[in-house]
């Protein structure tokens, strides 16, 4: 009887391990599904409208020549508003979507200012005033690809609103690479964000190219999601 009991236990072990592995697979799959709701949400890839469809220019005292607000496919909220502000200088400042300034560069937001111009560019996503109604609880970080920056550079901040006054995230010095802006500590209701706004402050003779803006999860959740993918 004792030998029979031992044999029976040994036969049950593989089944026990099999059940445990099944539970692990199920739990992993469930976690993967949960994290998939936290996947990257694209705000803007700057590849719409076609080149020439969203350009604004400041020349001397004439500000924002062009169409500041345009409908754009694939953009969060379906609309993008760009506004240039010159704080000094009488030269030219220009923001150009889908053009790197040389007639090429799809998926690029190009910002260029003359050597005597210091100013700013606001890029606003708010569904043309209707409000985004975007839940960013699982994706509270705005990540921006600065594709190219000349030597003079500039700085940038990110603002967001849940329907009240926009609150700014911490600013960054603009350098080539990825910049992150954490919106989770601004006291906003992250379940109903109505607007997101990037403001780039230029130095004299600035040339900056932006490749994409997106919402991503907190870093540790992002890493776990990538590991499960």
């Amino acid at each position: 009887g004792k030998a029979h009991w031992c044999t029976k236990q040994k036969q049950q072990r593989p089944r026990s391990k099999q059940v445990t592995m099944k539970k692990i697979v199920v739990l992993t799959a469930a976690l993967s599904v949960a994290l998939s709701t936290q996947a990257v949400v694209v705000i803007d890839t700057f590849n719409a409208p076609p080149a020439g469809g969203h350009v604004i220019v400041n020349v001397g005292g004439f500000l924002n020549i062009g169409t500041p607000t345009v409908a754009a496919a694939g953009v969060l909220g379906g609309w993008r508003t760009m506004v240039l502000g010159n704080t000094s200088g009488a030269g030219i400042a220009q923001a150009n979507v889908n053009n790197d300034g040389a007639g090429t560069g799809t998926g690029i937001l190009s910002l260029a200012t003359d050597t005597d111009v210091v100013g700013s560019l606001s890029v606003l996503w708010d569904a043309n005033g209707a409000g985004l109604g975007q839940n960013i609880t699982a994706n509270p970080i705005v990540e921006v690809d600065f594709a190219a920056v000349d030597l003079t550079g500039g700085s940038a901040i990110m603002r967001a609103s849940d329907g009240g006054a926009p609150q700014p995230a911490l600013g960054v010095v603009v350098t080539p690479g990825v910049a992150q802006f954490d919106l989770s500590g601004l006291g906003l209701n992250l379940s109903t964000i109505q607007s997101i706004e990037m403001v780039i402050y230029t130095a004299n003779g600035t040339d900056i190219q932006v490749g994409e803006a997106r919402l991503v999860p907190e870093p540790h959740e992002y890493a776990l999601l990538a590991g499960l993918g």
Side-chain angles (χ1 to χ4, degrees), residues 77-154:
W79 296 78
R80 180 196 308 114
T81 297
M82 300 196 302
V83 176
L84 285 165
N86 283 22
T87 57
S88 68
I92 296 174
Q94 177 173 281
N96 199 335
V97 170
N98 246 335
N99 195 323
D100 62 1
T104 58
T106 340
I108 290 287
L109 165 61
S110 173
L111 170 62
T113 61
D114 279 349
T115 54
D116 67 334
V117 173
V118 174
S120 64
L121 169 66
S122 162
V123 186
L124 174 67
W125 300 276
D126 69 347
N128 195 25
L132 297 173
Q134 183 73 24
N135 186 341
I136 68 166
T137 304
N139 313 73
I141 294 177
V142 181
E143 203 170 67
V144 179
D145 293 333
F146 288 102
V149 181
D150 70 4
L151 295 178
T152 60

